[in-house]
Structures are given as C-alpha cells and as structure tokens.
Amino acid sequence: MSTLTFDSLNPATGEVVGSHPKHDAQAVHEAVARAGAAAEWWAALPPEERRRRLLDYKAVITRRLRELAALVHEETGKPVGDATLEIVLAVTHLDWAARNAAKVLGRHRVATGMLGLNLAATLEYLPLGVVGVIGPWNYPVFTPMGSIAYALAAGNAVVFKPSELTPGVGVRLAELFAESVPEQPVLQTVTGLGETGAALAADPRVRKVAFTGSTATAKRVMAACAENLTPIVAECGGKDAFIVDADADLPAAADACLWGAMSNAGQTCAGVERVYVVDAVYEPFMRELSERAAKVKAGQDYGPITMPAQLDIIRRHIDDATKSGKVVTGGPDSVRAPFVDPVIVADVPEDSPAVREETFGPTITVRRTRDAQEALELANASAYGLAGTIFSRNARRATQLARAMRTGMTAVNSVISFAGVPALPFGGIGDSGFGRIHGADGLREFTRPKAVSRQRFALPGMNLTSFRRGPDELERLIRLVTFLHGRRKR
Ligand code: NDP
C-alpha cells in the first residue's frame, strides 16, 4: 500500500478488494468547490426534472443490484442476501425522497392570522448548497443513502466520504449516479481515512454535515463544524432494548429478537443489544430463544466482524458479561476472529459495560423484570436513545409503551420495521445523536425554511409599523387583542 492510496480488504478472507486514493484536504476542497457549482445547477433544475433524474438513479441501482450486492459482500463480509436486502431498502428510500420532495418542500401559503389579515404568507424549503455525508461501513449503501437521497432530493449537491472499510461501495454509488446525471458532479465520493472526513467537515463551503458513526467521532466532527457554525445531523448508534410483555407471541418474539441482535453480526445501529422479559413468560421465552440461537452460526447465517478493532470491544463485553452473569448461549470461545457466534448472557448487572456501552456485535444481555413498566424504566435508563422493540398482543398497551420509550423509533411485534417505512423519520436522542434522516423530516433536514410575508393592502387606521402611529391605533389594537386573546378558557 503506497501512502497515496489505501486498500479495502475482505474482512472474511483478508484479500484486497480494491485500492483507492487517500484524498487529502486539498483534494477534498477541490471536490467541494466543484460541488458548489453543481449545487447551483441542480437547484436550478425544475423539481420534476430532479425527480426524474433521481428515479432514473434508482432504476440504475436496481438494475445493478446483484453487482452492487457482490461488492458490499466483499467489502463488509456480510452474506449477499443481506447486502441485497439493504440495497432494496435504500432503493425504497430513494424512490420516496424523489417522489415526495416537491410536495414536502414546495412553496405553499400559510394562514396569516387576524392581525395579519392584510398579508399573504408563503413558506418553502430551499436547498442548503453542498452537503457533506460521512458514512459508516455496517450498511454501506442503506445508511449513507438515508442522507444522500434526501439531501439530493431537497436540491443539494453531496460530497460523500465513505468509511475507509467500504470505499469501493461509496465510489460505485457516485459512478452510478453519474449515469443518470452526467452533466455535473452533483454526487461525488472522496475516499480516504479519518483525515479525509475531517477535511470535509472543516470546509466552510459545506453547509451541513450528515454523520453516521460513533458518538466519540460525532463530537470531533461537531467540534470541527463549530468553527464555521456548520450544522450537523448525527446518527451515533445505540444500546437498543427489546421488551417481551406477558401476552407476547413468544416464538415470534424469540425469532425477531435473535435476528434483530445477531443479523449483520450485530453491527446494526438499531440492533437489539438488551432484552427485558417480564417474569411471567421469562422461562418459556428463554427456551424459545436459546433453542433458536443454538442453530445460528457466524460465517453461515451472518458474516464476520467487519472492523478488526471491534473484536476487542466485543471480547471485553463478553468477558465482562460472562464473569458477572449467567451464560445462556456461547461465551468467550464464541469469538473466532473475524467471526463471532451468538452470545446470550442473563442477569448481567445494569451498570456493567456490557449493558451500558454499545457492543456492535452478535451478543445480548437478558434480564427478568417484574412487569413491562419495570422493563421500560430499565430500557430508558440508557445514555443512548436510538430505537427499541416491544412484543405484546395488546396493541393499545404496546403502543403506550412504545410512545413512552425514550428513543427516536420503536417497533412493535417486529424488529427495525420503522427503517423500511420511508415516511418515518430515523434518528435518536442523547448519545444516539440528533437530527433526522428519512421521511418529510429527513427532507427538511437538508433545507432552510424560507418565509415570505407580503402586504396585500394597507389596513385603514391600523398602520402599526410606522412612526406616524397614533394613540387611536394603539387603542384599537388593545381592543382587538383583548377580544382575540383576553378571554380565559373555561
Ligand atoms: P467512526 O465513528 O470512527 O467512523 C465513522 C465515519 O467517520 C467513518 O467514515 C470514518 O472514516 C469517519 N471519521 C473518522 N474520524 C473522523 C474525523 N475526525 N472527522 C470526520 N470523519 C471521521 O466509527 P468506526 O467505523 O471507527 O466504528 C467505531 C464504532 O462506531 C463502532 O464500534 C460502533 O459502535 C459505532 N458505529 C456506529 C454506526 C452507526 O450506524 N451509528 C456505524 C459504524 C460504527 P474512516 O472509516 O475512514 O475512519
């Protein structure tokens, strides 16, 4: 590997998948400059033309699904089927963003109220210009596309810095975009290590940064952005809880829990990490769960740990959990680098690292709780707040619990289902970050609201914003406002 390029490796085999430039600050700044011109061109296109181009991009990705899935498989190690699923989801979001941008963001009239009787008011959401997207490796198509598709649909140009572990996928996404939009570099990919992302965040011409990754790096990105008052969207993972209530369909809950925790080798920001099961169904649920877990194997049902350094964290959490808790499935020997078989440990203290810190591996802790309320309280006692799951046959009770969960998203009787509903915003609170991708909120995230109020006629005897305003006008105003707002509500 020369100093000017770096290799991406297949984490399962160690083989080189591709070699990519390490774009330095100068190269990043040049890309941002090109993006500035492209942003103007893209924003000036009629909305229906942007929509047409984005739907065409969607079709291009769909037609290349197998090829792209093979590349995702090579760079992340995940099975081709899982790679296919994430691309399908990304395509669904691209479709929604393209079709809904004009409706959500377009100029529309808003009511002006009694005091603004003589005004007409309009609101629209205008593009920001250049958006920087810093992406992770765990879902190298789906996750960045949650920002890229919505930022593009909102009329921005995007400079995308993929994770150094999945640069080939990032490069391919931009190449495919150029098939639909050959005129201008509206979507560019810059490759490199952390410094490349840092240069992107520090460029004052980048109007917003959409970051997905760890909380610690989000803070560094935010500090760089603070220099220029550049706003950021931060999607920083979580420690998501899975609650099994007394009336839950236990086989379905166990099945969903296992998949939510172990699929993608647990490297899912909204994956299941903590499980709370109410006392009444604890034993039968654990039987269902452990029987299923015994049949799931790394390297067969899911791929390797993509980032080598992650193995140390996973190992530390397994050691910590198995020392203090009761092993249900697997244990320290489940780590067969780069693979990790499922690990389930019960009764791990709530203040231990395995329960508090993000593991990002195929491991879960399980705890018995008195009832669903106690489960919810434990679920909410986390610094993170990304997503969670409730299993219960009582739809009303489940919805109440879901609404009370201190997270951005909750799935009921399914796992991570919110991610496949493009109209639903995605994002968290607390250490999980802030801002939203997906849905109408995700479109607005990459815009600035533009408000215009126009006086249609002068209100006789009510010229309030003038030095010629007299006591009579003020008196009329006091009478009007007393009539409108002075009465107490009964
Ligand atoms: P990071 O947060 O370090 O990296 C995420 C992205 O930020 C990558 O593209 C990375 O580039 C880039 N980056 C790194 N340093 C900087 C910087 N100073 N300025 C700008 N961009 C930067 O995550 P890791 O990939 O190292 O994973 C670490 C942990 O993060 C995992 O253990 C997991 O807990 C969590 N994570 C959460 C994800 C989520 O979906 N929320 C996704 C991935 C990880 P590069 O890869 O080149 O260093």
Side-chain angles (χ1 to χ4, degrees):
M1 191 171 89
S2 91
T3 50
L4 298 176
T5 62
F6 67 105
D7 296 336
S8 73
L9 306 176
N10 181 326
T13 62
E15 280 164 24
V16 174
V17 179
S19 193
H20 299 273
K22 273 188 193 167
H23 285 123
D24 61 9
Q26 181 60 28
V28 171
H29 297 324
E30 283 166 15
V32 173
R34 286 192 297 274
E40 281 183 30
W41 174 81
W42 182 241
L45 287 183
E48 55 277 15
E49 181 60 17
R50 277 201 300 272
R51 172 189 153 115
R52 193 182 69 73
R53 302 296 191 104
L54 288 171
L55 291 176
D56 190 64
Y57 180 39
K58 174 197 74 169
V60 169
I61 292 180
T62 307
R63 287 201 298 272
R64 304 290 178 80
L65 207 157
R66 288 173 204 279
E67 172 211 312
L68 196 56
L71 184 55
V72 171
H73 161 71
E74 282 183 37
E75 283 198 325
T76 64
K78 71 173 75 178
V80 172
D82 288 356
T84 304
L85 191 60
E86 83 159 275
I87 298 167
V88 168
L89 275 184
V91 160
T92 320
H93 279 278
L94 193 46
D95 181 71
W96 194 92
R99 290 185 195 281
N100 287 276
K103 192 168 69 194
V104 172
L105 307 175
R107 190 158 161 260
H108 61 278
R109 287 178 77 115
V110 296
T112 52
M114 281 296 265
L115 284 177
L117 204 62
N118 59 335
L119 301 175
T122 59
L123 170 61
E124 65 188 308
Y125 295 86
L126 300 176
L128 298 170
V130 180
V131 169
V133 174
I134 299 176
W137 41 265
N138 52 341
Y139 292 92
V141 176
F142 171 71
T143 299
M145 198 53 92
S147 299
I148 293 170
Y150 290 83
L152 291 173
N156 302 283
V158 171
V159 179
F160 172 37
K161 155 65 177 72
S163 162
E164 68 196 65
L165 302 179
T166 53
V169 176
V171 167
R172 199 72 191 117
L173 288 177
E175 282 171 358
L176 294 178
F177 184 80
E179 289 186 20
S180 304
V181 184
E183 298 94 332
Q184 292 272 348
V186 176
L187 170 60
Q188 296 174 79
T189 294
V190 290
T191 53
L193 314 185
E195 307 83 72
T196 307
L200 183 60
D203 192 310
R205 293 160 302 176
V206 171
R207 300 290 178 226
K208 188 149 199 171
V209 170
F211 170 85
T212 308
S214 62
T215 309
T217 304
K219 289 178 186 175
R220 280 201 288 280
V221 170
M222 205 171 162
C225 286
E227 279 298 311
N228 303 306
L229 271 187
T230 307
I232 82 164
V233 188
E235 205 282 86
C236 312
K239 191 74 188 170
D240 289 358
F242 186 105
I243 296 177
V244 185
D245 205 350
D247 59 357
D249 175 341
L250 298 183
D255 197 64
C257 179
L258 198 63
W259 191 85
M262 313 299 170
S263 62
N264 210 35
Q267 304 164 114
T268 303
C269 54
V272 176
E273 298 229 349
R274 299 177 291 152
V275 183
Y276 297 104
V277 188
V278 302
D279 184 48
V281 292
Y282 184 82
E283 307 294 347
F285 173 78
M286 291 307 282
R287 262 197 310 277
E288 293 280 352
L289 185 65
S290 53
E291 274 169 22
R292 282 173 167 75
K295 295 183 196 127
V296 173
K297 286 274 164 294
Q300 174 186 310
D301 299 295
Y302 57 80
I305 300 305
T306 305
M307 186 171 74
Q310 193 69 30
L311 282 162
D312 298 336
I313 298 172
I314 296 170
R315 214 180 264 119
R316 179 164 61 80
H317 285 187
I318 293 175
D319 290 347
D320 163 60
T322 50
K323 256 185 227 131
S324 52
K326 180 171 148 261
V327 173
V328 177
T329 303
D333 292 345
S334 302
V335 183
R336 307 177 277 114
F339 295 97
V340 180
D341 289 319
V343 177
I344 303 175
V345 189
D347 304 332
V348 182
E350 289 293 302
D351 59 357
S352 59
V355 177
R356 304 203 71 78
E357 298 171 11
E358 184 173 41
T359 309
F360 230 57
T363 70
I364 41 174
T365 60
V366 191
R367 169 159 293 269
R368 185 196 296 260
T369 66
R370 211 172 39 247
D371 52 23
Q373 188 54 38
E374 191 193 13
L376 181 73
E377 281 161 22
L378 291 171
N380 285 350
S382 170
Y384 287 104
L386 187 60
T389 315
I390 315 274
F391 261 77
S392 162
R393 282 201 176 89
N394 180 337
R396 208 161 140 253
R397 175 84 185 119
T399 307
Q400 268 173 0
L401 289 168
R403 292 182 64 208
M405 193 176 253
R406 191 188 151 275
T407 58
M409 298 83 63
T410 300
V412 174
N413 294 339
S414 56
V415 270
I416 323 181
S417 46
F418 43 78
V421 181
L424 284 177
F426 186 102
I429 57 171
D431 282 1
S432 292
F434 52 83
R436 293 294 181 265
I437 55 173
H438 301 177
D441 295 273
L443 284 167
R444 290 194 194 106
E445 191 73 53
F446 299 105
T447 62
R448 64 186 165 96
K450 180 69 199 181
V452 175
S453 59
R454 178 174 59 83
Q455 180 168 301
R456 293 183 295 137
F457 55 87
L459 273 183
M462 278 293 256
N463 195 5
L464 299 170
T465 52
S466 164
F467 288 116
R468 284 180 291 141
R469 185 182 66 210
D472 292 358
E473 279 158 310
L474 215 49
E475 190 52 39
R476 271 195 289 280
L477 176 67
I478 291 170
R479 266 190 265 130
L480 179 63
V481 86
T482 305
F483 172 73
L484 288 176
H485 302 296
R487 282 164 298 170
R488 298 186 69 179
K489 280 263 181 261
R490 303 241 171 255

